[in-house]
Amino acid sequence: MAEGTATMELNVGSEVQRGWRVLAVAGELDIDTVPLLSARLDSDVTGRHAVLDLSGLQFMDSTGLALVLDWHRRLAEAGGQLRIAATQAPVRRLFELADVAEVLSLHETVDAAVQESADTAS
């Protein structure tokens, strides 16, 4: 592949912390990589509480934002919660520009996001 045309990979790690399913997302979340994260969310989020660790995410476009908002809504409707941890400046800017920073549950770190165990989180 020629320089500049390579699409960046998306890596998704997954673990459970204090009852929360934590998905660590690294790379770029865009129209090419959204299906990968969507599939991982579908397969891994079996409960109603999940955290997206975005500390390794350098870029997100509107398709990534739509996926995050969709999961935010789905878990909320199920009586659970999607929390977002450790957003980098470009992604946080996207949340602010889209006027969803107030809607989403943003946390500085994964540790902060899983402070309350999933059992007590409303």
Side-chain angles (χ1 to χ4, degrees):
M1 241 184 225
E3 188 73 27
T5 58
T7 54
M8 183 145 180
E9 302 255 325
L10 184 78
N11 294 305
V12 184
S14 184
E15 62 177 349
V16 174
Q17 290 187 37
R18 301 182 77 164
W20 292 81
R21 167 60 66 180
V22 178
L23 291 161
V25 186
E28 295 188 355
L29 186 58
D30 57 25
I31 195 161
D32 295 322
T33 57
V34 154
L36 173 67
L37 180 57
S38 181
R40 284 299 292 272
L41 283 161
D42 284 333
S43 67
D44 288 17
V45 181
T46 51
R48 297 172 308 175
H49 294 86
V51 174
L52 286 178
D53 172 5
L54 302 186
S55 57
L57 192 69
Q58 282 97 35
F59 174 81
M60 178 191 288
D61 72 1
S62 60
T63 56
L65 180 63
L67 178 66
V68 169
L69 290 171
D70 183 49
W71 272 88
H72 175 79
R73 179 187 54 77
R74 283 165 73 168
L75 293 181
E77 285 174 358
Q81 193 177 43
L82 175 67
R83 292 182 174 178
I84 311 291
T87 48
Q88 299 305 299
V91 175
R92 187 176 287 267
R93 219 172 9 257
L94 175 64
F95 289 159
E96 287 165 359
L97 288 171
D99 210 22
V100 296
E102 300 302 310
V103 176
L104 296 171
S105 178
L106 301 177
H107 298 266
E108 289 299 311
T109 63
V110 171
D111 280 349
V114 299
Q115 273 304 302
E116 300 168 80
S117 76
D119 304 325
T120 58
S122 54

